[in-house]
Protein backbone atom coordinates (compact mmCIF):
# COMPACT_ATOMS: atom_id res chain seq x y z
CA UNK A 1 0.00 0.00 0.00
CA UNK A 2 1.08 3.58 -0.53
CA UNK A 3 2.12 5.55 2.53
CA UNK A 4 0.18 8.78 2.98
CA UNK A 5 3.44 10.71 2.77
CA UNK A 6 3.93 9.39 -0.77
CA UNK A 7 0.54 10.63 -2.01
CA UNK A 8 -0.68 13.92 -3.41
CA UNK A 9 -4.23 15.23 -3.09
CA UNK A 10 -5.22 16.37 -6.58
CA UNK A 11 -8.18 18.34 -7.87
CA UNK A 12 -10.15 17.09 -10.87
CA UNK A 13 -13.02 18.90 -12.60
CA UNK A 14 -12.19 22.20 -10.89
CA UNK A 15 -12.21 20.57 -7.48
CA UNK A 16 -15.48 18.68 -7.83
CA UNK A 17 -13.34 15.59 -7.22
CA UNK A 18 -10.32 15.23 -4.93
CA UNK A 19 -8.18 12.19 -5.73
CA UNK A 20 -5.23 10.73 -3.90
CA UNK A 21 -2.45 9.74 -6.30
CA UNK A 22 1.16 8.62 -5.88
CA UNK A 23 3.63 11.46 -6.10
CA UNK A 24 5.89 9.07 -8.01
CA UNK A 25 4.20 6.50 -10.17
CA UNK A 26 1.29 6.43 -12.59
CA UNK A 27 -0.87 9.54 -12.24
CA UNK A 28 -4.17 10.03 -14.02
CA UNK A 29 -4.60 13.25 -16.00
CA UNK A 30 -6.61 14.39 -19.01
CA UNK A 31 -7.05 10.90 -20.52
CA UNK A 32 -9.22 9.78 -17.61
CA UNK A 33 -11.41 12.88 -17.84
CA UNK A 34 -11.83 12.56 -21.61
CA UNK A 35 -12.69 8.87 -21.27
CA UNK A 36 -15.38 9.66 -18.71
CA UNK A 37 -16.75 12.46 -20.89
CA UNK A 38 -17.15 10.11 -23.87
CA UNK A 39 -19.01 7.34 -22.03
CA UNK A 40 -22.76 7.38 -22.83
CA UNK A 41 -23.81 6.15 -19.40
CA UNK A 42 -27.25 7.03 -18.06
CA UNK A 43 -28.54 7.07 -14.47
CA UNK A 44 -28.90 3.55 -13.14
CA UNK A 45 -26.34 2.01 -15.53
CA UNK A 46 -23.81 -0.53 -14.35
CA UNK A 47 -20.23 0.48 -15.30
CA UNK A 48 -17.11 -1.69 -15.37
CA UNK A 49 -13.76 0.14 -15.50
CA UNK A 50 -11.06 -2.24 -16.77
CA UNK A 51 -7.71 -1.30 -15.22
CA UNK A 52 -9.27 1.40 -13.06
CA UNK A 53 -6.05 2.59 -11.41
CA UNK A 54 -6.87 5.06 -8.63
CA UNK A 55 -10.43 5.38 -9.92
CA UNK A 56 -10.15 8.67 -11.81
CA UNK A 57 -12.20 7.80 -14.90
CA UNK A 58 -15.04 6.09 -13.00
CA UNK A 59 -15.30 8.86 -10.44
CA UNK A 60 -15.22 11.60 -13.10
CA UNK A 61 -18.07 9.77 -14.82
CA UNK A 62 -20.03 9.49 -11.58
CA UNK A 63 -19.55 13.23 -10.97
CA UNK A 64 -21.51 13.84 -14.20
CA UNK A 65 -24.04 10.98 -14.19
CA UNK A 66 -25.92 10.21 -10.95
CA UNK A 67 -26.95 6.82 -9.61
CA UNK A 68 -24.37 4.72 -11.44
CA UNK A 69 -23.29 1.34 -10.12
CA UNK A 70 -19.50 1.50 -10.39
CA UNK A 71 -17.15 -1.47 -10.50
CA UNK A 72 -13.43 -1.40 -11.16
CA UNK A 73 -10.92 -4.12 -12.05
CA UNK A 74 -7.33 -3.40 -11.06
CA UNK A 75 -4.37 -5.78 -10.94
CA UNK A 76 -2.14 -3.65 -8.68
CA UNK A 77 -3.15 -3.91 -5.03
CA UNK A 78 -1.91 -0.45 -4.05
CA UNK A 79 -3.87 1.25 -6.84
CA UNK A 80 -6.99 -0.80 -6.08
CA UNK A 81 -6.76 0.42 -2.48
CA UNK A 82 -6.44 4.01 -3.69
CA UNK A 83 -9.53 3.63 -5.88
CA UNK A 84 -11.55 2.48 -2.88
CA UNK A 85 -10.22 5.35 -0.76
CA UNK A 86 -10.91 7.90 -3.49
CA UNK A 87 -14.47 6.70 -3.95
CA UNK A 88 -15.14 6.87 -0.22
CA UNK A 89 -13.64 10.33 0.26
CA UNK A 90 -15.79 11.68 -2.59
CA UNK A 91 -18.95 10.11 -1.19
CA UNK A 92 -19.30 7.62 -4.04
CA UNK A 93 -19.83 3.87 -3.95
CA UNK A 94 -17.41 1.82 -6.06
CA UNK A 95 -16.62 -1.88 -5.87
CA UNK A 96 -12.98 -2.57 -6.79
CA UNK A 97 -11.92 -6.13 -7.57
CA UNK A 98 -8.28 -7.11 -7.85
CA UNK A 99 -7.41 -9.23 -10.86
CA UNK A 100 -6.24 -9.48 -14.45
CA UNK A 101 -8.15 -8.46 -17.57
CA UNK A 102 -6.95 -11.66 -19.26
CA UNK A 103 -8.35 -13.83 -16.45
CA UNK A 104 -11.55 -12.12 -15.41
CA UNK A 105 -12.24 -12.67 -11.71
CA UNK A 106 -15.37 -14.68 -11.05
CA UNK A 107 -17.20 -11.83 -9.22
CA UNK A 108 -17.07 -9.79 -12.45
CA UNK A 109 -18.48 -12.46 -14.73
CA UNK A 110 -21.78 -10.66 -15.01
CA UNK A 111 -23.24 -8.25 -17.58
CA UNK A 112 -22.67 -4.48 -17.51
CA UNK A 113 -24.33 -1.59 -19.32
CA UNK A 114 -21.02 0.18 -19.94
CA UNK A 115 -17.36 -0.82 -20.03
CA UNK A 116 -14.64 1.84 -20.03
CA UNK A 117 -10.89 1.32 -20.37
CA UNK A 118 -7.66 3.25 -20.59
CA UNK A 119 -5.30 0.34 -21.35
CA UNK A 120 -1.51 0.66 -21.56
CA UNK A 121 -0.60 1.75 -25.08
CA UNK A 122 3.14 2.43 -25.07
CA UNK A 123 4.76 -0.35 -27.14
CA UNK A 124 6.98 -2.89 -25.41
CA UNK A 125 10.72 -2.42 -25.64
CA UNK A 126 12.92 0.50 -24.73
CA UNK A 127 13.63 1.46 -21.14
CA UNK A 128 10.64 0.95 -18.84
CA UNK A 129 9.87 3.36 -16.04
CA UNK A 130 11.88 2.60 -12.88
CA UNK A 131 8.60 2.84 -10.98
CA UNK A 132 6.81 -0.50 -11.44
CA UNK A 133 3.32 0.94 -11.00
CA UNK A 134 3.87 3.48 -13.75
CA UNK A 135 5.45 0.92 -16.09
CA UNK A 136 2.54 -1.49 -15.58
CA UNK A 137 -0.01 1.24 -16.26
CA UNK A 138 1.65 2.59 -19.41
CA UNK A 139 3.53 -0.15 -21.26
CA UNK A 140 1.72 -2.83 -23.27
CA UNK A 141 1.95 -6.31 -21.76
CA UNK A 142 -1.37 -7.66 -23.06
CA UNK A 143 -2.52 -7.21 -26.66
CA UNK A 144 -5.27 -4.61 -26.92
CA UNK A 145 -7.42 -7.30 -28.49
CA UNK A 146 -7.57 -8.97 -25.05
CA UNK A 147 -8.99 -5.79 -23.53
CA UNK A 148 -11.59 -5.49 -26.29
CA UNK A 149 -12.60 -9.14 -26.00
CA UNK A 150 -12.88 -8.87 -22.22
CA UNK A 151 -15.16 -5.86 -22.63
CA UNK A 152 -17.30 -7.64 -25.23
CA UNK A 153 -17.80 -10.59 -22.90
CA UNK A 154 -18.88 -8.38 -20.00
CA UNK A 155 -21.31 -6.12 -21.90
CA UNK A 156 -24.97 -6.97 -22.13
CA UNK A 157 -26.57 -6.69 -25.60
CA UNK A 158 -26.73 -3.04 -26.61
CA UNK A 159 -24.09 -2.04 -24.07
CA UNK A 160 -21.21 0.28 -24.96
CA UNK A 161 -17.44 0.01 -24.80
CA UNK A 162 -15.64 3.35 -24.51
CA UNK A 163 -11.86 3.23 -24.72
CA UNK A 164 -8.96 5.69 -25.03
CA UNK A 165 -5.71 4.59 -26.67
CA UNK A 166 -2.84 5.60 -28.88
CA UNK A 167 -3.75 6.37 -32.49
CA UNK A 168 -1.23 3.81 -33.74
CA UNK A 169 -3.24 1.08 -32.01
CA UNK A 170 -6.37 1.81 -34.04
CA UNK A 171 -5.91 -0.98 -36.65
CA UNK A 172 -5.56 -3.58 -33.88
CA UNK A 173 -8.56 -2.20 -32.00
CA UNK A 174 -10.83 -2.23 -35.04
CA UNK A 175 -9.76 -5.75 -35.96
CA UNK A 176 -10.63 -6.93 -32.45
CA UNK A 177 -14.22 -5.63 -32.48
CA UNK A 178 -15.76 -8.38 -34.62
CA UNK A 179 -17.91 -10.34 -34.19
CA UNK A 180 -19.51 -9.03 -30.99
CA UNK A 181 -18.98 -5.26 -31.21
CA UNK A 182 -20.08 -2.90 -33.98
CA UNK A 183 -21.39 0.62 -34.65
CA UNK A 184 -17.84 1.81 -33.96
CA UNK A 185 -16.95 5.50 -33.95
CA UNK A 186 -13.48 6.99 -33.49
CA UNK A 187 -12.78 10.50 -32.24
CA UNK A 188 -9.17 11.66 -32.84
CA UNK A 189 -7.73 13.76 -30.01
CA UNK A 190 -5.66 16.46 -31.67
CA UNK A 191 -3.38 18.58 -29.45
CA UNK A 192 -3.56 21.63 -31.77
CA UNK A 193 -4.70 22.65 -35.23
CA UNK A 194 -2.41 21.11 -37.83
CA UNK A 195 -0.92 18.53 -35.47
CA UNK A 196 -1.27 14.76 -35.76
CA UNK A 197 -3.61 13.12 -33.27
CA UNK A 198 -1.54 10.85 -30.97
CA UNK A 199 -4.60 9.49 -29.14
CA UNK A 200 -8.12 8.42 -30.03
CA UNK A 201 -11.37 7.72 -28.27
CA UNK A 202 -13.21 4.67 -29.57
CA UNK A 203 -16.78 3.76 -28.87
CA UNK A 204 -18.47 0.51 -29.99
CA UNK A 205 -21.75 -1.22 -29.17
CA UNK A 206 -22.39 -4.87 -28.46
CA UNK A 207 -24.47 -6.15 -31.34
CA UNK A 208 -24.24 -2.81 -33.15
CA UNK A 209 -24.73 -2.87 -36.93
CA UNK A 210 -24.20 0.77 -37.94
CA UNK A 211 -21.31 1.64 -40.32
CA UNK A 212 -17.93 2.65 -38.93
CA UNK A 213 -17.50 6.41 -38.47
CA UNK A 214 -14.31 8.49 -38.27
CA UNK A 215 -15.35 11.71 -36.55
CA UNK A 216 -13.94 15.25 -36.80
CA UNK A 217 -11.16 15.64 -34.22
CA UNK A 218 -11.46 17.20 -30.81
CA UNK A 219 -8.80 19.95 -30.68
CA UNK A 220 -7.50 20.35 -27.15
CA UNK A 221 -5.34 23.48 -27.24
CA UNK A 222 -5.79 26.87 -28.89
CA UNK A 223 -2.96 28.55 -30.77
CA UNK A 224 -0.04 27.10 -32.69
CA UNK A 225 2.22 26.43 -29.68
CA UNK A 226 2.30 26.46 -25.90
CA UNK A 227 2.79 30.03 -24.68
CA UNK A 228 3.12 29.43 -20.96
CA UNK A 229 -0.56 30.11 -20.28
CA UNK A 230 -2.08 27.15 -18.47
CA UNK A 231 -5.54 28.20 -19.71
CA UNK A 232 -4.73 27.42 -23.34
CA UNK A 233 -7.47 24.82 -23.79
CA UNK A 234 -10.05 25.37 -26.48
CA UNK A 235 -13.53 26.25 -25.16
CA UNK A 236 -14.82 22.71 -25.80
CA UNK A 237 -11.82 21.07 -24.13
CA UNK A 238 -12.03 23.49 -21.22
CA UNK A 239 -15.70 22.65 -20.68
CA UNK A 240 -14.85 18.93 -20.59
CA UNK A 241 -11.68 19.00 -18.53
CA UNK A 242 -12.64 21.67 -16.02
CA UNK A 243 -16.45 21.70 -15.91
CA UNK A 244 -17.18 18.01 -16.51
CA UNK A 245 -19.15 18.55 -19.73
CA UNK A 246 -19.95 15.42 -21.75
CA UNK A 247 -18.43 14.60 -25.12
CA UNK A 248 -21.51 12.77 -26.28
CA UNK A 249 -22.53 15.15 -29.09
CA UNK A 250 -19.20 14.49 -30.81
CA UNK A 251 -20.33 10.87 -31.34
CA UNK A 252 -23.74 11.73 -32.84
Amino acid sequence: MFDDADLTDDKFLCGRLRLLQPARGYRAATDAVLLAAACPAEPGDTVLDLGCGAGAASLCLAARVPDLVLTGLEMQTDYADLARRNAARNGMAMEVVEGDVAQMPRPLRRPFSQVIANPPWYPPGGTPSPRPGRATALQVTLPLSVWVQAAAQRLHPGGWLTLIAGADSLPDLLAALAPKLGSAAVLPLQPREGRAAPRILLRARKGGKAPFRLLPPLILHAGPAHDGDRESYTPQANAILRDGAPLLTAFH
Side-chain angles (χ1 to χ4, degrees):
M1 303 297 181
F2 292 109
D3 291 328
D4 286 350
D6 296 328
L7 298 173
T8 60
D9 189 350
D10 301 317
K11 294 180 181 180
F12 281 70
L13 305 177
C14 275
R16 291 168 62 192
L17 284 177
R18 299 293 295 257
L19 302 182
L20 297 173
Q21 299 198 91
R24 298 181 178 182
Y26 175 73
R27 296 171 56 81
T30 58
D31 281 5
V33 185
L34 291 165
L35 176 61
C39 177
E42 297 180 352
D45 276 359
T46 53
V47 181
L48 174 60
D49 186 349
L50 296 178
C52 69
S58 288
L59 299 179
C60 284
L61 178 58
R64 174 171 62 84
V65 184
D67 301 323
L68 296 176
V69 180
L70 300 177
T71 303
L73 172 64
E74 175 53 48
M75 69 181 300
Q76 299 187 81
T77 298
D78 45 4
Y79 281 90
D81 176 66
L82 270 189
R84 297 185 190 103
R85 292 178 64 183
N86 282 329
R89 72 198 303 262
N90 285 281
M92 299 174 180
M94 182 176 179
E95 175 191 13
V96 182
V97 177
E98 293 178 36
D100 192 335
V101 171
Q103 299 177 349
M104 189 67 60
R106 189 170 297 277
L108 299 186
R109 295 178 189 176
R110 62 184 193 264
F112 292 85
S113 313
Q114 310 284 338
V115 174
I116 61 175
N118 180 10
W121 53 275
Y122 283 94
T127 303
S129 169
R131 304 182 184 104
R134 180 174 172 81
T136 299
L138 292 177
Q139 197 163 50
V140 172
T141 54
L142 284 176
L144 289 175
S145 60
V146 174
W147 292 76
V148 173
Q149 291 160 10
Q153 290 171 352
R154 300 278 63 81
L155 283 168
H156 67 51
W160 289 96
L161 165 65
T162 308
L163 181 147
I164 190 167
D168 58 353
S169 67
L170 184 55
D172 291 338
L173 289 171
L174 294 178
L177 295 180
K180 293 185 177 180
L181 298 170
S183 301
V186 170
L187 178 70
L189 299 172
Q190 190 172 330
R192 298 181 189 276
E193 286 275 8
R195 300 281 185 89
R199 295 172 295 164
I200 56 96
L201 280 161
L202 178 145
R203 209 166 78 182
R205 192 171 200 179
K206 188 164 184 177
K209 303 298 183 183
F212 170 77
R213 293 181 298 147
L214 180 61
L215 304 169
L218 171 66
I219 299 172
L220 297 176
H221 292 277
H226 183 63
D227 60 5
D229 181 5
R230 296 186 63 185
E231 301 299 323
S232 66
Y233 289 118
T234 61
Q236 185 180 11
N238 194 63
I240 294 163
L241 297 173
R242 296 180 61 81
D243 301 332
L247 239 177
L248 306 183
T249 56
F251 285 90
H252 289 164

